[in-house]
């Protein structure tokens, strides 16, 4: 009887909010109406007119609806009483006051919509408004009548400066005869010409020097257009002159700090990040490149670039002021840990030098120690988990590659990184040591939405110096336990891999790919020079078996509604496959896939789904066996703004993991195309996000809909039809968006 009571409370609360939103209109002053629904539509289909986007020109809209359906903020506001008590003030601040229909704002909206259509080239456009009162509410409908668009004809230029006229003639214009007339096209041409001339040395040129003369031909729906480039005039009283082209005479550097006259950067680094060139014309884009490159240097706190014209010449003296940060910082960070109820603590000490070689190279040294009291382990003499690690990382804000030209280095925003880490873990069951190192490059081209990563070399050495007799007898050497995956992860292992990653993000579409391969060079060396094998038939290097696999991941997300919509409908697909071969029959544990959790199928807790139809014998989560070689994630999430910093989401997730080989300890886990659809797990749910701009706190509540771990005739296979809250609910807390 407890669940119906809980659900009845939720029903009563939802009903109260709904009734509150309905009653808000009854408290309005006499003769006024609450604006309910507002819609914009066109009298036909027009490819360049989006009614949803045109809603931005409507000055008065109805009250906010959560998920475009329920006016929850209005209901919260209506629940407040009329006195000024604390609870009533809080409800009014959290809620939203009813929007009262305003005829003046409606008329201004019509004028703004008409002007927006004219700016798109529909110079004869008209806008009609229809209102429909019902009780104390009002619906508003704006109907757009764009008419026929106008096109540019007889396009000419009026440029009195012959030098500039020749320069502009060499570029491809954005305006031409037959192009649909629009203010966006006119402004784009002005901006392009301005940027073009500023990159050719015209230091004092700005877009206000460009205007247009237009002649409307209503009969032919054409606009005769002349672009006018006016001569230079210093002020309203000065006479017209030709525009001057300026050249950089010299470039000097100085410290921007008041108490330090020294720039703590090598002169070669200053020159490498300066794109303005002595003896060359002034360039606005090269000025911005200089700002961008100095801004990405961790050692630089502030950059200011000023130009001083030399009297009676067209020369510029350039002064670059650099203020550097304090090079060294030390941070101390305590942590509290809770692993399946086992409490512990950890501390880390980090030293960072952001200018160790006076070239804005960042050196980071981190030391971490952790302790955890483990309960419930029988047959072990020690009941504690102790871990300590030390990590060093050196980052260069440039390519460190021999034989690479200086121009190639300057063309890309690059980072070179080398790292080394040692981690020691002492558990009651075993001791584990991990030594890893890597060398990688990260880069992107200026002004491009894509970036690249290349792992030249990534080495991992996993060493098990001690395994307790109890753990070895019960798990590793037990004849009744044939878990090859378990045994493989408690053996010494050497991983030598290379990888390449590509990322693209333009604000609407995001793509992330990664490919890596391990053991190929070692396998080639073994094939050529031979090598010894261990008892499991694996070749060894330095007397250690090495892993051999190939792995590829693709992650794609897209906003289906587009940028014109305030709400978002995000589609996401994540695919990953890894195949062990040659010297490996099982993937290393760190490279295996898992499913469930805050960024996967959210009806399952982390690492609790799959592989395939697999279900652990005792029904508990098994972190070893609930892993796989192949992963599919399909997600659809609708996101909307609620109020203040709160955003809401409704989501539908599907996916699972599988093994590529048949393992006896993972029955039902192998991938086959025949069982792909029936093996997909499905979940649904709601989410709440706290958006503080620089980070997002996320709370997701998921419910299982289809559970492939149970047979189709079992009620637990279809939790959507036979829900059980204690069995099918999962709560997730995370930082950042899921995709």
């Amino acid at each position: 009887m407890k669940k119906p009571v809980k659900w009845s409370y939720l029903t009563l609360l939802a009903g109260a909010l709904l009734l509150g939103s309905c009653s808000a209109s009854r408290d309005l002053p006499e003769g006024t109406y609450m604006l309910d629904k507002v819609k914009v539509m066109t009298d036909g289909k027009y490819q360049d007119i989006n009614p949803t986007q045109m809603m931005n020109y409507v000055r008065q809209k109805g009250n906010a609806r959560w998920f475009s359906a329920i006016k929850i903020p209005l209901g919260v506001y209506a629940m407040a009483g009329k006195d000024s008590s604390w609870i009533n003030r809080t409800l009014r601040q959290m809620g939203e006051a009813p929007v009262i229909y305003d005829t003046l704002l409606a008329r201004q909206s019509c004028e703004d919509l008409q002007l927006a259509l004219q700016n798109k080239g529909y110079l004869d456009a008209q806008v009609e408004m229809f209102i429909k009162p019902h009780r104390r509410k009002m619906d508003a409908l704006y109907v757009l009548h764009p008419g026929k668009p106008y096109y540019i004809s007889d396009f000419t230029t009026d440029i009195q400066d012959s030098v500039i006229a020749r320069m502009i003639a060499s570029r491809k214009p954005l305006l031409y005869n037959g192009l649909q007339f629009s203010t966006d096209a006119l402004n784009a041409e002005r901006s392009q010409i301005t940027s073009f001339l500023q990159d050719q040395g015209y230091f004092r040129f700005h877009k206000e020097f460009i205007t247009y003369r237009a002649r409307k031909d209503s009969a032919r729906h054409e606009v005769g257009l002349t672009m006018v480039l006016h001569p230079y005039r210093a002020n309203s009283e000065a006479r017209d002159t030709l525009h001057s082209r300026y050249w950089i005479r010299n470039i000097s550097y100085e410290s921007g700090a008041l108490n330090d006259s020294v720039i703590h950067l090598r002169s070669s680094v200053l020159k490498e990040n300066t794109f303005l060139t002595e003896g060359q014309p002034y360039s606005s884009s090269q000025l911005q490149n200089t700002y961008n490159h100095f801004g990405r240097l961790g050692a630089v706190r502030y950059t200011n670039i000023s130009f001083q014209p030399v009297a009676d010449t067209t020369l510029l003296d350039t002064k670059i002021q650099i203020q550097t940060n304090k090079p060294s910082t030390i941070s101390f960070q305590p942590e509290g840990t809770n692993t399946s109820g086992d409490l512990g603590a950890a501390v880390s000490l980090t030293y960072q030098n952001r200018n160790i070689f006076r070239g804005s190279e960042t050196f980071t040294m981190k030391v971490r120690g952790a302790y955890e009291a483990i309960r419930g382990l029988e047959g072990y003499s020690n009941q504690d988990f102790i871990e300590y690690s030390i990590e060093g990382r050196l980052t260069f804000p440039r390519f460190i590659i021999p034989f690479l030209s200086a121009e190639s280095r300057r063309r890309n925003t690059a980072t070179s990184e080398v790292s080394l880490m040692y981690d020691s873990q002492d558990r009651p069951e075993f001791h584990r040591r991990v030594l890893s190192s890597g060398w990688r490059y990260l880069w992107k081209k200026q002004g491009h939405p894509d970036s690249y990563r290349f792992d030249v070399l990534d080495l991992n050495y996993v060493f098990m110096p001690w395994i307790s007799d109890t753990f070895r007898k019960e798990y590793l050497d037990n004849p009744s336990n044939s878990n090859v995956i378990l045994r493989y992860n408690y053996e010494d292992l050497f991983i030598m891999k290379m990888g390449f990653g590509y990322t693209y993000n333009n604000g609407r579409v995001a793509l992330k790919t990664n490919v890596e391969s391990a053991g190929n060079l070692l396998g080639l060396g073994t094939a050529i020079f031979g090598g010894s094998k261990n008892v499991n038939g694996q070749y060894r290097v330095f007397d250690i078996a090495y892993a051999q696999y190939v792995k590829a991941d693709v992650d794609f997300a897209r906003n289906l509604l587009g940028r014109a919509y305030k709400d978002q409908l995000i589609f996401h697909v994540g695919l990953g496959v890894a195949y062990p071969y040659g010297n490996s029959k099982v993937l290393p544990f760190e490279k295996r896939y898992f499913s469930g959790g805050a960024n996967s199928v959210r009806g399952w807790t982390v690492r609790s789904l799959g592989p395939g139809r697999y279900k652990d014998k005792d029904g508990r989560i098994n972190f070893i066996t609930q892993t796989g070689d192949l992963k599919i994630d399909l997600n659809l999430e609708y996101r909307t703004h609620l109020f203040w910093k709160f955003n809401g989401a409704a989501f539908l997730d599907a996916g699972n993991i599988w093994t590529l080989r048949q393992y006896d300890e993972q029955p039902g886990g192998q991938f086959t195309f025949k069982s792909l659809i029936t093996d997909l797990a499905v979940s649904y749910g709601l989410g709440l996000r706290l958006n503080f701009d620089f980070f997002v706190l996320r709370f997701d509540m998921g419910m299982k809909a289809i559970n492939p771990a149970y047979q189709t005739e079992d009620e637990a296979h279809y939790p959507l039809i036979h829900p059980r809250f204690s069995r099918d609910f999962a709560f997730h807390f995370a930082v950042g968006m899921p995709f």
Side-chain angles (χ1 to χ4, degrees), residues 635-679:
N635 311 88
L636 189 65
E637 181 169 291
Y638 178 76
R639 300 169 182 171
T640 185
H641 176 70
L642 301 180
F643 62 93
W644 190 54
K645 300 290 185 179
F646 288 92
N647 295 327
F651 56 83
L652 180 66
D653 301 330
N656 207 331
I657 56 173
W658 293 266
T659 61
L660 296 181
R661 290 190 171 123
Q662 177 65 44
Y663 298 107
D664 294 337
E665 55 274 9
Q666 294 175 300
Q670 187 179 22
F671 175 82
T672 62
F673 285 101
K674 181 180 179 180
S675 61
L676 172 61
I677 300 301
T678 57
D679 282 354

Side-chain angles (χ1 to χ4, degrees), residues 105-212:
L105 293 178
R107 185 166 62 252
Q108 291 175 339
S109 297
C110 289
E111 295 172 356
D112 291 345
L113 287 167
Q114 183 180 22
L115 180 60
L117 291 172
Q118 292 172 347
N119 288 338
K120 287 180 174 291
Y122 298 90
L123 301 184
D124 300 328
Q126 298 293 326
V127 177
E128 284 187 294
M129 181 184 179
F130 300 92
I131 56 175
K132 181 181 179 182
H134 50 96
R135 297 181 181 178
R136 301 300 305 276
K137 297 181 181 180
M138 180 79 74
D139 292 341
L141 174 63
Y142 296 89
V143 181
L144 311 182
H145 303 286
K148 293 183 178 180
Y150 280 69
Y151 294 88
I152 296 175
S153 68
D154 192 24
F155 175 65
T156 58
T157 59
D158 181 3
I159 304 174
Q160 299 179 18
D161 191 318
S162 59
V163 176
I164 290 181
R166 286 195 300 271
M167 284 186 175
I168 292 179
S170 66
R171 52 175 281 279
K172 184 178 180 180
L174 299 180
L175 298 178
Y176 51 86
N177 291 333
L179 178 70
Q180 183 172 326
F181 176 84
S182 71
T183 57
D184 287 343
L186 304 187
N187 290 330
E189 178 76 349
R190 291 177 70 197
S191 297
Q192 190 188 78
I193 291 176
T194 300
S195 298
F196 176 77
L197 293 178
Q198 287 181 347
D199 283 346
Q200 301 300 317
Y202 289 90
F203 172 66
R204 299 185 184 276
F205 192 89
H206 50 79
K207 65 180 182 180
E208 280 70 23
F209 285 115
I210 301 175
T211 61
Y212 295 95

Side-chain angles (χ1 to χ4, degrees), residues 193-317:
I193 291 176
T194 300
S195 298
F196 176 77
L197 293 178
Q198 287 181 347
D199 283 346
Q200 301 300 317
Y202 289 90
F203 172 66
R204 299 185 184 276
F205 192 89
H206 50 79
K207 65 180 182 180
E208 280 70 23
F209 285 115
I210 301 175
T211 61
Y212 295 95
R213 293 195 299 264
R215 303 168 299 280
K216 177 182 176 182
D217 187 342
S218 300
R220 302 175 61 182
H221 283 83
E222 292 180 345
V223 176
L225 191 65
T226 300
M227 184 188 72
V228 182
L229 196 150
H230 299 276
Y232 177 76
R233 179 181 292 181
N235 53 61
S236 58
E237 298 179 356
R239 62 184 181 86
D240 293 344
T241 61
L242 296 178
H243 292 274
S244 297
R245 192 181 186 193
Y246 286 82
W247 301 70
I248 304 296
R249 187 175 73 165
N250 59 57
I251 299 174
S252 61
Y253 304 90
E254 67 176 36
S255 173
L258 297 176
N259 56 352
D260 190 355
S261 61
V262 179
I263 302 176
H264 300 279
L265 291 169
R266 300 192 306 270
S267 59
S268 60
V269 175
L270 296 175
K271 293 178 181 179
E272 184 178 298
N273 289 278
T274 302
F275 287 77
L276 296 166
T277 307
E278 294 179 352
Q280 294 296 318
Y282 163 84
S283 172
S284 177
S285 62
Q286 300 296 14
L287 171 64
Q288 189 59 50
N289 278 344
T290 303
Y291 270 118
N292 292 341
H293 275 70
F294 275 111
R296 64 181 292 269
L297 299 181
V300 176
R301 181 180 182 183
Y302 171 79
T303 306
N304 181 58
I305 304 175
S306 59
F307 299 91
Q308 181 62 47
V310 180
D312 300 325
T313 69
T314 56
L315 300 176
L316 295 173
D317 285 340

Side-chain angles (χ1 to χ4, degrees), residues 705-732:
I706 301 177
N707 190 345
Y710 295 88
Q711 300 298 319
T712 55
E713 61 272 10
D714 196 326
E715 289 186 355
H717 181 73
Y718 295 106
L720 179 65
I721 304 174
H722 308 283
R724 186 189 302 171
F725 189 82
S726 60
R727 179 194 63 194
D728 303 324
F729 176 77
F731 175 78
H732 305 282

